[in-house]
Amino acid sequence: PPAGLGLGCCVLLLLLLLLLGGSGSPRTPPPPRGPRAEGQGPAGERAPRGRASYEGYEAVKKHLGAMGALSKQYWQYLACKVWQEGCEEEKEEQRDPGPSPGWSLPLVGQDYLEILSAWYCSFGRCCETGDCRIINNITGLEADLSEQLHGQHLAKEVVVRAVQGFLQNPQPEKALVLSFHGWSGTGKNFVARMVASHLYRDGLRSNCVRVFISLLHFPHHKYLDSYKAQLQQQLSETLQLCRQSLFIFDEAEKLHSSLLDAIRPFMAPYGNEGQKDQQRSIFLFLSNLGGNTINEVALDFWRAGRAREEISMEFLEQRLRLELQEPVENSYAHSHLLRENLIDFLVPFLPLEFHHVKLCARDAFLARGLPYSEATLDEVARMMVFVPREEKLFSAQGCKSVPQRINYFLP
């Protein structure tokens, strides 16, 4: 196949080397022993040089011809195993065998092919369930959050500990449910994408990851019954396909309460022991709700001369939970998620300050391979709007539009 031709050639060369140099490859028979070898004279003299050269040429020709036939056989077997192509041709050849070069497919060669096809599947899409694409790289997740997520000491700690503890638990009692809260541009989507990319080799493109955006997937309230049935079906299909699933709900505050209640059974405690072994799922809800409360706490700490890193998870989560449970017209307050304690952690994302925006600008320049200076980073940060009006402390958009702002500085 064209897409895998380069890799296929490398695999074939490696296979031939293994076959020719290892077990299962034919070997040239040793010369006969005795006082008179075939082709020698009475005194053990060698045959004329021309005749020996011709016989050597014929032997090499025969050897290469047989090797070519076997190579074709191996390649067809590998293509059938990996790309599911040429399998019908293989069956026809088995029904009507032609002249054989004298080499059958050795057992050791089949072992080599099984190893190579499994190795190829670790890079390709050969799995029926997608489970072979799960990597669960918690070390990489922690390192990338530390380097690339700015100003969010609480989110870094909670996400890593929650995900790691959940995946290390041999029998979790329920799905892991994290609810991200904070202003737009503070890193909620960024963290969700990073979680997906470190748990699955294909990231958001994995068959085990589903992303739902409220206004995109569920825009009209008059179709709620249809949305509810489709949502439950998609969740069930993903859980059946993958032993470990990730569901991301963006703009969760815009989800109708009936849709949140439709998700509830998938987040409730497992009802039987078998379900624990069959399903392991993570739910991430991304919401702007609670952003004002989070910002007020951060502003109070700043006015008191205290570092934002002193803000504790216990203090902020308690304030955030109280706000979300207030009897106002929002889906979270009316859903069973909070009342039944189905959300394991409310993850606060703090508002970003001037130096955090500069770090985001630096990352944007580096991602595009563009040069920058400290003065350039300052200029990008000054293009953002900062609030409140008196202090001008927090970026109103976080880092959301920073990658677009650096276009003004392109040569």
Side-chain angles (χ1 to χ4, degrees), residues 196-210:
S197 65
H198 284 86
L199 297 189
Y200 303 90
R201 197 181 302 275
D202 301 316
L204 294 177
R205 300 189 306 274
S206 171
N207 293 329
C208 300
V209 178
R210 301 301 299 265

Side-chain angles (χ1 to χ4, degrees), residues 217-261:
H217 294 95
F218 319 109
H220 305 293
H221 285 182
K222 62 180 179 180
Y223 299 125
L224 282 176
D225 291 339
S226 176
Y227 293 155
K228 180 177 178 180
Q230 292 175 9
L231 178 59
Q232 291 179 328
Q233 179 181 358
Q234 290 175 3
L235 295 181
S236 298
E237 290 175 352
T238 305
L239 289 172
Q240 292 174 3
L241 177 69
C242 306
R243 289 179 59 87
Q244 177 182 304
S245 306
L246 175 64
F247 304 105
I248 302 173
F249 292 85
D250 197 5
E251 300 176 345
E253 74 278 4
K254 299 182 178 68
L255 278 173
H256 195 274
S257 58
S258 63
L259 293 178
L260 289 171
D261 291 340

Side-chain angles (χ1 to χ4, degrees), residues 352-362 365 373-387 392-399 401-402 405-406 408-409:
L352 300 182
E353 300 177 9
F354 188 87
H355 66 282
H356 299 134
V357 177
K358 286 180 59 178
L359 292 174
C360 292
R362 180 204 64 185
F365 277 107
S373 64
E374 197 68 22
T376 304
L377 299 183
D378 285 332
E379 194 168 353
V380 173
R382 282 195 293 268
M383 296 175 68
M384 309 297 288
V385 177
F386 287 84
V387 294
K392 295 189 181 298
L393 181 62
F394 304 132
S395 172
Q397 297 173 285
C399 285
S401 61
V402 166
R405 302 278 179 170
I406 67 174
Y408 290 98
F409 300 91

Side-chain angles (χ1 to χ4, degrees), residues 125-191:
R125 294 177 176 273
C126 302
C127 308
E128 296 180 357
T129 65
D131 287 351
C132 71
R133 310 291 290 173
I134 297 174
I135 53 177
N136 290 343
N137 183 12
I138 301 300
T139 302
L141 174 62
E142 185 175 11
D144 283 352
L145 286 177
S146 298
E147 294 177 3
Q148 303 177 33
L149 182 64
H150 307 301
Q152 306 296 349
H153 68 285
L154 295 176
K156 291 177 185 178
E157 180 181 3
V158 174
V159 170
V160 171
R161 288 190 177 184
V163 173
Q164 184 177 32
F166 178 73
L167 295 179
Q168 290 179 347
N169 186 351
Q171 287 190 334
E173 297 296 327
K174 60 182 290 293
L176 175 64
V177 184
L178 305 179
S179 189
F180 296 172
H181 296 270
W183 268 6
S184 177
T186 53
K188 300 186 298 293
N189 274 283
F190 180 75
V191 173

Side-chain angles (χ1 to χ4, degrees), residues 301-320:
F301 269 70
W302 181 83
R303 287 172 176 169
R306 302 175 62 183
R308 61 192 283 137
E309 287 74 19
E310 295 182 39
I311 302 175
S312 67
M313 184 66 187
E314 293 76 16
F315 175 73
L316 191 50
E317 186 181 19
Q318 184 180 8
R319 294 275 300 269
L320 185 58

